[in-house]
Amino acid sequence: MVHATPHSAWQIDAAQFDHAAPLAEQLRFALQYAVLAPSNHNTQPWRFLVDGNTVQICADRLRALPVVDPFDRELLISCGAALFNLRVALSYFGLAYAITLFPSEADPDVVALVLVSRHGHRDMSLAPLFAAITKRVTTRAPFADEPVPAAVQRALTDACEAEGALVSCLQERADRQAVAHLVEEADHIQFADPRFRRELAAWIHPRRRDDGMPVYGAAVDGLLDFAVPVVSAVVRVFDSGAGVPATHRHLVDGSPLIVGIATARNDREAWLAAGQALERLLLVAAGEGLTASYLNQPIEISTLRVQISGLLHLDATPQLLLRVGRGPHAEHAPRRPLADVLS
Protein backbone atom coordinates (compact mmCIF):
# COMPACT_ATOMS: atom_id res chain seq x y z
CA MET A 1 0.00 0.00 0.00
CA VAL A 2 2.95 2.37 0.57
CA HIS A 3 4.73 3.54 -2.57
CA ALA A 4 5.82 7.09 -1.70
CA THR A 5 9.25 8.33 -2.80
CA PRO A 6 11.08 11.48 -1.64
CA HIS A 7 9.60 13.35 -4.60
CA SER A 8 6.06 11.97 -4.46
CA ALA A 9 5.69 11.92 -0.68
CA TRP A 10 3.33 14.88 -0.73
CA GLN A 11 1.06 13.38 -3.40
CA ILE A 12 -0.71 10.65 -1.46
CA ASP A 13 -3.95 9.20 -2.80
CA ALA A 14 -6.10 8.79 0.30
CA ALA A 15 -8.57 6.78 -1.76
CA GLN A 16 -6.03 3.94 -1.80
CA PHE A 17 -6.55 3.36 1.92
CA ASP A 18 -7.92 -0.17 2.23
CA HIS A 19 -10.58 -0.31 4.95
CA ALA A 20 -10.49 -4.11 4.82
CA ALA A 21 -6.72 -4.42 5.23
CA PRO A 22 -5.05 -5.61 8.45
CA LEU A 23 -4.41 -2.90 11.03
CA ALA A 24 -0.65 -3.12 10.54
CA GLU A 25 -1.07 -2.29 6.84
CA GLN A 26 -3.47 0.54 7.62
CA LEU A 27 -1.00 1.91 10.13
CA ARG A 28 1.75 1.95 7.54
CA PHE A 29 -0.50 3.82 5.15
CA ALA A 30 -1.33 6.44 7.81
CA LEU A 31 2.36 6.91 8.59
CA GLN A 32 2.81 8.44 5.14
CA TYR A 33 1.13 11.50 6.63
CA ALA A 34 3.13 11.45 9.86
CA VAL A 35 6.41 11.96 7.99
CA LEU A 36 5.10 15.18 6.41
CA ALA A 37 5.54 16.98 9.73
CA PRO A 38 8.01 19.88 9.95
CA SER A 39 11.42 19.54 11.58
CA ASN A 40 14.39 21.78 12.31
CA HIS A 41 16.78 21.82 9.31
CA ASN A 42 14.37 19.26 7.79
CA THR A 43 16.26 16.57 9.69
CA GLN A 44 13.16 14.34 9.96
CA PRO A 45 14.41 12.90 13.28
CA TRP A 46 11.95 10.04 13.70
CA ARG A 47 11.63 6.30 13.28
CA PHE A 48 8.52 4.10 13.44
CA LEU A 49 8.19 0.50 14.58
CA VAL A 50 4.91 -1.14 13.58
CA ASP A 51 3.94 -4.34 15.38
CA GLY A 52 0.42 -5.48 14.60
CA ASN A 53 -1.96 -2.80 15.80
CA THR A 54 0.71 -0.73 17.59
CA VAL A 55 3.34 1.70 16.41
CA GLN A 56 6.24 3.05 18.42
CA ILE A 57 7.28 6.58 17.48
CA CYS A 58 10.98 6.86 18.21
CA ALA A 59 13.39 9.79 18.29
CA ASP A 60 16.30 9.31 15.91
CA ARG A 61 19.19 10.78 17.88
CA LEU A 62 21.51 10.22 14.91
CA ARG A 63 19.68 13.17 13.35
CA ALA A 64 20.11 15.44 16.34
CA LEU A 65 21.55 18.96 16.09
CA PRO A 66 23.94 19.15 19.04
CA VAL A 67 24.91 22.80 18.49
CA VAL A 68 21.59 24.50 17.88
CA ASP A 69 19.53 21.96 19.89
CA PRO A 70 21.83 20.52 22.58
CA PHE A 71 19.04 19.07 24.72
CA ASP A 72 17.03 17.59 21.82
CA ARG A 73 14.17 19.94 22.64
CA GLU A 74 13.40 20.77 19.02
CA LEU A 75 13.97 17.15 18.02
CA LEU A 76 11.15 16.07 20.34
CA ILE A 77 8.98 18.95 19.13
CA SER A 78 9.38 17.51 15.63
CA CYS A 79 8.38 14.06 16.86
CA GLY A 80 5.32 15.63 18.48
CA ALA A 81 4.34 17.17 15.16
CA ALA A 82 4.66 13.77 13.47
CA LEU A 83 2.53 12.22 16.20
CA PHE A 84 -0.18 14.81 15.62
CA ASN A 85 -0.27 14.13 11.88
CA LEU A 86 -0.68 10.44 12.65
CA ARG A 87 -3.59 11.22 14.97
CA VAL A 88 -5.26 13.26 12.25
CA ALA A 89 -4.77 10.55 9.62
CA LEU A 90 -6.07 7.79 11.88
CA SER A 91 -9.12 9.89 12.76
CA TYR A 92 -9.81 10.60 9.10
CA PHE A 93 -9.65 6.90 8.22
CA GLY A 94 -12.06 6.05 11.04
CA LEU A 95 -9.59 4.37 13.38
CA ALA A 96 -9.52 4.80 17.13
CA TYR A 97 -6.28 5.03 19.07
CA ALA A 98 -4.79 5.26 22.55
CA ILE A 99 -1.44 6.95 23.18
CA THR A 100 1.11 6.33 25.91
CA LEU A 101 3.93 8.87 26.05
CA PHE A 102 7.43 7.65 26.91
CA PRO A 103 6.21 4.13 27.70
CA SER A 104 9.66 2.72 28.50
CA GLU A 105 12.07 4.23 31.00
CA ALA A 106 14.63 1.74 29.72
CA ASP A 107 14.40 3.20 26.21
CA PRO A 108 13.81 6.97 26.32
CA ASP A 109 14.01 7.13 22.53
CA VAL A 110 10.50 5.64 22.35
CA VAL A 111 8.55 8.87 22.67
CA ALA A 112 5.07 7.45 22.11
CA LEU A 113 3.29 4.13 21.81
CA VAL A 114 0.11 4.32 19.73
CA LEU A 115 -2.39 1.45 20.03
CA VAL A 116 -4.86 1.45 17.14
CA SER A 117 -8.27 -0.24 17.05
CA ARG A 118 -11.33 -0.24 14.87
CA HIS A 119 -13.64 0.61 17.72
CA GLY A 120 -13.19 3.12 20.51
CA HIS A 121 -13.03 6.83 21.19
CA ARG A 122 -12.34 9.10 18.22
CA ASP A 123 -11.55 12.79 18.30
CA MET A 124 -14.01 14.10 15.72
CA SER A 125 -12.31 17.51 15.68
CA LEU A 126 -9.23 16.10 13.95
CA ALA A 127 -10.58 14.58 10.74
CA PRO A 128 -11.42 17.99 9.17
CA LEU A 129 -7.71 18.88 9.37
CA PHE A 130 -6.68 15.94 7.19
CA ALA A 131 -6.69 17.72 3.83
CA ALA A 132 -4.36 20.40 5.21
CA ILE A 133 -1.54 17.92 5.92
CA THR A 134 -0.45 17.79 2.28
CA LYS A 135 -1.18 21.50 1.74
CA ARG A 136 0.97 22.75 4.63
CA VAL A 137 4.18 24.32 3.45
CA THR A 138 6.77 26.63 4.96
CA THR A 139 7.06 29.92 3.11
CA ARG A 140 10.16 32.04 3.64
CA ALA A 141 9.17 34.74 1.16
CA PRO A 142 7.59 38.03 2.31
CA PHE A 143 3.91 37.82 3.17
CA ALA A 144 1.10 39.92 1.75
CA ASP A 145 0.49 43.18 3.57
CA GLU A 146 -2.85 42.17 5.03
CA PRO A 147 -3.77 41.45 8.64
CA VAL A 148 -4.75 38.01 9.87
CA PRO A 149 -8.45 38.28 10.86
CA ALA A 150 -9.26 38.14 14.55
CA ALA A 151 -11.42 35.05 14.04
CA VAL A 152 -8.49 33.22 12.47
CA GLN A 153 -6.19 34.29 15.29
CA ARG A 154 -8.75 32.87 17.70
CA ALA A 155 -8.78 29.59 15.77
CA LEU A 156 -4.97 29.41 15.93
CA THR A 157 -5.08 30.05 19.66
CA ASP A 158 -7.75 27.39 20.17
CA ALA A 159 -5.64 24.91 18.19
CA CYS A 160 -2.68 25.32 20.52
CA GLU A 161 -4.74 25.29 23.67
CA ALA A 162 -6.45 22.08 22.58
CA GLU A 163 -3.01 20.41 22.76
CA GLY A 164 -2.18 21.82 26.18
CA ALA A 165 0.05 24.67 25.02
CA LEU A 166 -0.22 28.43 25.44
CA VAL A 167 -0.05 30.88 22.56
CA SER A 168 0.43 34.60 22.08
CA CYS A 169 -0.36 36.46 18.85
CA LEU A 170 1.56 39.68 18.20
CA GLN A 171 0.32 41.98 15.46
CA GLU A 172 1.12 45.48 16.71
CA ARG A 173 4.04 47.01 14.83
CA ALA A 174 5.99 47.82 18.01
CA ASP A 175 5.79 44.18 19.14
CA ARG A 176 6.83 42.88 15.73
CA GLN A 177 9.78 45.27 15.64
CA ALA A 178 10.88 44.10 19.08
CA VAL A 179 10.80 40.47 17.89
CA ALA A 180 12.66 41.45 14.71
CA HIS A 181 15.41 43.04 16.81
CA LEU A 182 15.83 39.85 18.86
CA VAL A 183 15.91 37.70 15.73
CA GLU A 184 18.63 39.90 14.31
CA GLU A 185 20.63 39.73 17.55
CA ALA A 186 20.27 35.93 17.66
CA ASP A 187 21.48 35.68 14.07
CA HIS A 188 24.65 37.59 14.96
CA ILE A 189 25.30 35.35 17.97
CA GLN A 190 24.72 32.10 16.11
CA PHE A 191 26.74 32.97 13.03
CA ALA A 192 29.64 34.05 15.22
CA ASP A 193 29.95 30.40 16.33
CA PRO A 194 31.90 28.29 13.79
CA ARG A 195 30.26 25.14 15.18
CA PHE A 196 26.85 26.54 14.27
CA ARG A 197 28.02 27.38 10.77
CA ARG A 198 29.44 23.90 10.24
CA GLU A 199 26.29 22.21 11.52
CA LEU A 200 24.05 24.32 9.31
CA ALA A 201 26.30 23.78 6.31
CA ALA A 202 25.97 20.02 6.72
CA TRP A 203 22.21 20.28 6.23
CA ILE A 204 22.26 22.52 3.19
CA HIS A 205 24.74 20.47 1.23
CA PRO A 206 23.69 20.47 -2.45
CA ARG A 207 23.98 16.68 -2.62
CA ARG A 208 21.13 16.25 -0.14
CA ARG A 209 17.98 15.12 -1.91
CA ASP A 210 15.53 13.62 0.57
CA ASP A 211 16.29 15.61 3.71
CA GLY A 212 17.99 18.83 4.74
CA MET A 213 17.43 22.19 3.10
CA PRO A 214 18.08 22.07 -0.63
CA VAL A 215 18.42 25.03 -2.95
CA TYR A 216 15.12 25.99 -4.54
CA GLY A 217 15.86 29.16 -6.52
CA ALA A 218 16.55 32.84 -6.39
CA ALA A 219 13.06 34.12 -5.63
CA VAL A 220 13.95 34.31 -1.95
CA ASP A 221 17.64 35.04 -2.49
CA GLY A 222 19.49 36.07 0.64
CA LEU A 223 17.03 34.76 3.20
CA LEU A 224 17.90 32.14 5.77
CA ASP A 225 15.37 30.24 7.83
CA PHE A 226 16.32 27.29 10.01
CA ALA A 227 13.30 25.15 9.16
CA VAL A 228 13.04 25.47 5.38
CA PRO A 229 15.19 25.26 2.24
CA VAL A 230 17.93 27.86 1.89
CA VAL A 231 19.24 29.49 -1.24
CA SER A 232 22.68 29.47 -2.77
CA ALA A 233 23.40 33.04 -1.73
CA VAL A 234 23.62 31.87 1.85
CA VAL A 235 26.65 29.74 1.05
CA ARG A 236 28.52 32.77 -0.26
CA VAL A 237 28.14 34.56 3.07
CA PHE A 238 28.33 31.49 5.28
CA ASP A 239 31.58 32.24 7.01
CA SER A 240 30.30 35.52 8.41
CA GLY A 241 26.53 35.38 8.06
CA ALA A 242 26.76 38.71 6.26
CA GLY A 243 23.41 40.15 5.34
CA VAL A 244 21.37 37.45 7.05
CA PRO A 245 20.52 39.35 10.27
CA ALA A 246 19.37 42.45 8.40
CA THR A 247 17.34 40.37 5.97
CA HIS A 248 15.64 38.51 8.79
CA ARG A 249 14.86 41.71 10.64
CA HIS A 250 13.22 43.21 7.55
CA LEU A 251 11.29 40.00 6.92
CA VAL A 252 9.96 39.75 10.48
CA ASP A 253 9.10 43.42 10.68
CA GLY A 254 6.97 43.05 7.56
CA SER A 255 5.06 39.97 8.71
CA PRO A 256 1.44 40.63 9.72
CA LEU A 257 1.37 38.20 12.65
CA ILE A 258 3.99 36.75 14.98
CA VAL A 259 2.91 33.71 16.99
CA GLY A 260 4.66 32.35 20.06
CA ILE A 261 3.93 28.90 21.47
CA ALA A 262 4.80 28.20 25.10
CA THR A 263 4.29 25.51 27.72
CA ALA A 264 3.81 25.65 31.48
CA ARG A 265 6.57 23.08 31.95
CA ASN A 266 9.86 22.63 30.13
CA ASP A 267 10.45 18.89 29.91
CA ARG A 268 10.17 16.15 27.34
CA GLU A 269 6.40 15.81 27.74
CA ALA A 270 6.02 19.56 27.26
CA TRP A 271 8.16 19.46 24.13
CA LEU A 272 5.96 16.76 22.61
CA ALA A 273 2.90 18.83 23.48
CA ALA A 274 4.46 21.87 21.84
CA GLY A 275 5.06 19.87 18.67
CA GLN A 276 1.48 18.69 18.54
CA ALA A 277 0.25 22.22 19.19
CA LEU A 278 2.51 23.55 16.44
CA GLU A 279 1.24 21.12 13.83
CA ARG A 280 -2.39 21.64 14.81
CA LEU A 281 -1.89 25.40 14.46
CA LEU A 282 -0.15 24.99 11.09
CA LEU A 283 -2.94 22.79 9.73
CA VAL A 284 -5.60 25.25 10.85
CA ALA A 285 -3.60 28.04 9.21
CA ALA A 286 -3.22 26.06 5.99
CA GLY A 287 -6.95 25.49 5.94
CA GLU A 288 -7.39 29.27 6.00
CA GLY A 289 -4.98 29.72 3.09
CA LEU A 290 -2.18 30.94 5.35
CA THR A 291 1.36 29.73 5.74
CA ALA A 292 4.20 30.20 8.21
CA SER A 293 7.94 30.13 8.73
CA TYR A 294 10.03 29.84 11.85
CA LEU A 295 11.85 32.43 13.93
CA ASN A 296 13.27 30.16 16.60
CA GLN A 297 16.71 31.79 16.75
CA PRO A 298 15.99 33.90 19.90
CA ILE A 299 14.51 30.85 21.63
CA GLU A 300 17.69 28.89 20.88
CA ILE A 301 19.76 31.54 22.73
CA SER A 302 19.09 31.26 26.47
CA THR A 303 19.68 34.93 27.24
CA LEU A 304 17.26 36.03 24.51
CA ARG A 305 14.67 33.42 25.39
CA VAL A 306 13.85 35.33 28.56
CA GLN A 307 13.21 38.47 26.53
CA ILE A 308 10.94 36.58 24.14
CA SER A 309 8.96 35.34 27.12
CA GLY A 310 8.40 38.93 28.19
CA LEU A 311 7.29 40.01 24.74
CA LEU A 312 4.76 37.19 24.58
CA HIS A 313 3.26 38.17 27.95
CA LEU A 314 2.97 34.53 28.93
CA ASP A 315 3.88 33.07 32.30
CA ALA A 316 5.35 30.03 30.58
CA THR A 317 8.42 28.79 28.74
CA PRO A 318 8.52 29.81 25.05
CA GLN A 319 9.14 26.84 22.77
CA LEU A 320 8.46 28.13 19.25
CA LEU A 321 8.26 31.42 17.43
CA LEU A 322 6.86 31.78 13.93
CA ARG A 323 5.42 34.31 11.52
CA VAL A 324 2.06 33.72 9.88
CA GLY A 325 0.54 35.31 6.82
CA ARG A 326 -0.53 34.88 3.24
CA GLY A 327 2.47 34.05 1.09
CA PRO A 328 3.24 33.09 -2.50
CA HIS A 329 3.47 29.53 -3.73
CA ALA A 330 6.37 27.59 -2.20
CA GLU A 331 7.76 24.13 -2.85
CA HIS A 332 7.44 21.41 -0.26
CA ALA A 333 10.59 20.26 1.48
CA PRO A 334 11.70 16.76 0.43
CA ARG A 335 11.03 13.66 2.49
CA ARG A 336 12.94 10.45 3.02
CA PRO A 337 11.26 7.30 1.68
CA LEU A 338 8.95 5.80 4.26
CA ALA A 339 10.94 2.56 4.06
CA ASP A 340 13.94 4.42 5.51
CA VAL A 341 12.11 5.32 8.72
CA LEU A 342 9.81 2.31 9.10
CA SER A 343 10.60 -1.00 10.75
Side-chain angles (χ1 to χ4, degrees):
M1 294 176 64
V2 178
H3 304 289
T5 70
H7 302 291
S8 67
W10 295 88
Q11 287 79 47
I12 310 169
D13 184 0
Q16 292 186 5
F17 180 83
D18 186 353
H19 290 273
L23 279 173
E25 192 172 347
Q26 293 179 336
L27 258 177
R28 292 187 181 94
F29 190 95
L31 285 170
Q32 293 178 100
Y33 297 91
V35 301
L36 301 183
S39 58
N40 196 6
H41 290 18
N42 193 28
T43 55
Q44 304 168 50
W46 42 62
R47 295 180 295 108
F48 305 95
L49 176 60
V50 175
D51 182 10
N53 65 334
T54 66
V55 56
Q56 294 181 21
I57 300 178
C58 304
D60 188 346
R61 310 286 177 178
L62 295 177
R63 292 179 163 266
L65 299 169
V67 177
V68 76
D69 186 31
F71 301 107
D72 290 343
R73 180 183 65 86
E74 291 179 82
L75 184 152
L76 289 179
I77 286 175
S78 300
C79 290
L83 172 60
F84 184 77
N85 274 2
L86 179 61
R87 290 170 53 201
V88 172
L90 292 174
S91 299
Y92 178 80
F93 293 124
L95 296 173
Y97 58 83
I99 299 173
T100 303
L101 300 181
F102 299 102
S104 172
E105 287 300 324
D107 188 357
D109 286 349
V110 181
V111 302
L113 176 67
V114 183
L115 173 66
V116 179
S117 61
R118 304 192 191 280
H119 306 285
H121 173 72
R122 296 181 177 88
D123 187 342
M124 301 306 295
S125 69
L126 296 184
L129 298 175
F130 177 77
I133 293 178
T134 53
K135 293 179 181 177
R136 183 203 65 79
V137 65
T138 304
T139 303
R140 62 185 357 194
F143 291 148
D145 185 18
E146 58 181 81
V148 177
V152 176
Q153 293 188 42
R154 181 69 251 176
L156 300 179
T157 300
D158 290 344
C160 284
E161 292 179 349
E163 299 303 321
L166 302 172
V167 65
S168 178
C169 295
L170 305 177
Q171 61 180 347
E172 297 299 326
R173 183 170 178 81
D175 291 331
R176 290 186 283 120
Q177 287 180 325
V179 171
H181 173 75
L182 291 179
V183 170
E184 182 180 31
E185 185 175 350
D187 280 337
H188 281 296
I189 293 172
Q190 289 186 321
F191 270 94
D193 185 346
R195 300 172 306 149
F196 170 84
R197 299 197 301 270
R198 285 194 297 269
E199 183 174 85
L200 183 57
W203 290 96
I204 65 168
H205 196 284
R207 286 200 295 268
R208 286 191 176 275
R209 290 293 181 266
D210 54 5
D211 63 3
M213 301 175 286
V215 173
Y216 274 159
V220 290
D221 197 28
L223 301 182
L224 177 62
D225 187 300
F226 304 132
V228 294
V230 296
V231 294
S232 57
V234 172
V235 179
R236 298 195 297 270
V237 297
F238 223 47
D239 285 341
S240 64
V244 173
T247 300
H248 262 160
R249 180 169 184 167
H250 175 74
L251 187 67
V252 178
D253 188 33
S255 300
L257 184 67
I258 305 298
V259 177
I261 299 175
T263 54
R265 294 160 49 189
N266 189 33
D267 53 22
R268 61 184 189 175
E269 288 81 7
W271 301 339
L272 279 182
Q276 295 187 80
L278 168 68
E279 186 66 345
R280 188 163 189 155
L281 178 149
L282 293 175
L283 297 185
V284 170
E288 296 289 343
L290 302 175
T291 187
S293 64
Y294 304 89
L295 306 167
N296 291 327
Q297 301 94 300
I299 294 180
E300 294 164 349
I301 306 296
S302 58
T303 54
L304 301 182
R305 198 176 190 184
V306 176
Q307 297 182 54
I308 286 293
S309 181
L311 285 174
L312 297 178
H313 306 293
L314 293 174
D315 185 17
T317 301
Q319 303 292 353
L320 294 152
L321 194 64
L322 56 157
R323 62 188 190 99
V324 177
R326 198 171 301 279
H329 170 77
E331 297 288 342
H332 283 112
R335 285 297 181 274
R336 292 188 288 161
L338 186 61
D340 287 1
V341 299
L342 183 63
S343 299

